[in-house]
Amino acid sequence: MKEITGTTKLIGILADPIHHVKTPQRMNEHLSTVGYDGVLVPMHTKPAHLAATVNGLRNLENLLGVIVTVPHKTAVLALCDDASEATRLIGAANVVRREADGRLVATMLDGEGFVRGLKDAGRAIKGKSAYLAGAGGAANAIGFALVQAGVSQLTIANRTTARAQDLLERIKSLYPDAVVRVGTADPSGHDLVVNATSLGLAEGDPLPLDTSKLEPTQLVCEIIMQPADTALLKAAQAKGCAIHNGAPMLAGQIALMAEFLGVDAE
């Protein structure tokens, strides 16, 4: 482990529970690689104490900011002073930067991290049609990011249709010319198929979409990191599809988070 001194900058990660998080390992590896004198530490915070914890962060002069994960992504947004329009429309944040005057600026990088992970893997996005399973927190961010990245069409499919429609309307409010529609469990006719639900985390979970409709020309993507080979990805491979697992999304986010927090090589 690197030596921590009085000049070391701090980054936190807020979660509950927190034992399972992988971000500290990845971010500290990144900080070491770029030669930055900083360290990311876990900060176990219960929902009832989130407001007090976040308010206290304003007073930590050597704090760059915090990464925010389950279950705090939605609640933290209202506790910050500023956020981009897209972040406010998404309704959640996963990184908060502390400015020199103690102001807190929030952003959501789940979607941008997913897009960067695809691009880093050499996958084209612009001009492709995309199918998005889910309309929850991560799906919200990914939907906005895919449209921003230039997909030709976005289809949102969710068990509760009203939530898919709500996400569609929020995307259209920011990108009025985007082609967005509400879909069904059938992912056929799209270039990219993205599972942005939590289905696949647990053994025995139902599939997030109708895998019998998958086509060999499609790229099927996961945001789940463990297990690396979900039931969806196995079914996709059996249909001859290319696959993209969840790990590149975290890798993409680490670089984006570092940039947002002001980490530069020394």
Side-chain angles (χ1 to χ4, degrees), residues 45-246:
T45 307
K46 296 283 188 184
H49 304 142
L50 181 66
T53 299
V54 171
N55 195 48
L57 299 177
R58 300 176 184 275
N59 304 316
L60 294 176
E61 300 292 340
N62 61 342
L63 181 78
L64 294 182
V66 291
I67 293 162
V68 184
T69 189
V70 178
H72 303 312
K73 290 182 181 182
T74 300
V76 78
L77 187 56
L79 302 173
C80 296
D81 302 299
D82 198 10
S84 69
E85 185 178 4
T87 298
R88 294 200 184 281
L89 286 169
I90 291 166
N94 71 337
V95 193
V96 176
R97 182 178 68 236
R98 181 192 180 275
E99 304 285 21
D101 60 1
R103 293 177 70 257
L104 301 177
V105 181
T107 195
M108 169 53 88
L109 295 176
D110 277 345
E112 291 178 51
F114 175 78
V115 165
R116 179 174 283 201
L118 278 177
K119 289 180 176 178
D120 287 348
R123 305 294 188 178
I125 301 172
K126 189 172 183 178
K128 302 292 185 180
S129 60
Y131 173 96
L132 179 66
N140 271 256
I142 290 170
F144 274 85
L146 286 171
V147 170
Q148 184 181 38
V151 293
S152 62
Q153 174 188 310
L154 175 67
T155 299
I156 305 166
N158 192 64
R159 184 172 49 190
T160 306
T161 304
R163 293 189 71 185
Q165 182 65 34
D166 176 65
L167 175 54
L168 178 154
E169 290 170 3
R170 282 182 284 119
I171 291 173
K172 292 284 284 184
S173 74
L174 189 60
Y175 302 105
D177 296 330
V179 179
V180 189
R181 66 184 185 91
V182 173
T184 67
D186 179 358
S188 60
H190 297 82
D191 301 307
L192 305 175
V193 176
V194 183
N195 175 34
T197 76
S198 60
L199 294 175
L201 271 173
E203 190 172 344
D205 276 351
L207 290 163
L209 51 91
D210 185 353
T211 56
S212 72
K213 304 292 187 180
L214 290 173
E215 302 157 348
T217 56
Q218 293 174 314
L219 172 65
V220 179
C221 310
E222 271 284 11
I223 67 168
I224 292 169
M225 277 168 272
Q226 291 294 335
D229 294 317
T230 62
L232 172 63
L233 294 184
K234 289 176 182 176
Q237 283 184 304
K239 296 285 287 187
C241 302
I243 63 169
H244 179 86
N245 65 28

Side-chain angles (χ1 to χ4, degrees), residues 2 9 11 28 30 33 39 52 109-110 156 162 173 194 202 215:
K2 73 178 291 296
K9 298 295 185 183
I11 305 170
N28 286 321
H30 178 80
T33 298
V39 62
L109 295 176
D110 277 345
I156 305 166
S173 74
V194 183
E215 302 157 348

Side-chain angles (χ1 to χ4, degrees), residues 11-61:
I11 305 170
I13 179 168
L14 303 177
D16 177 41
I18 206 164
H19 65 274
H20 64 290
V21 295
K22 304 295 185 186
T23 309
Q25 299 95 304
R26 302 288 83 79
M27 180 61 81
N28 286 321
E29 183 179 286
H30 178 80
L31 296 174
S32 176
T33 298
V34 301
Y36 188 82
D37 184 14
V39 62
L40 175 65
V41 294
M43 297 178 174
H44 188 183
T45 307
K46 296 283 188 184
H49 304 142
L50 181 66
T53 299
V54 171
N55 195 48
L57 299 177
R58 300 176 184 275
N59 304 316
L60 294 176
E61 300 292 340

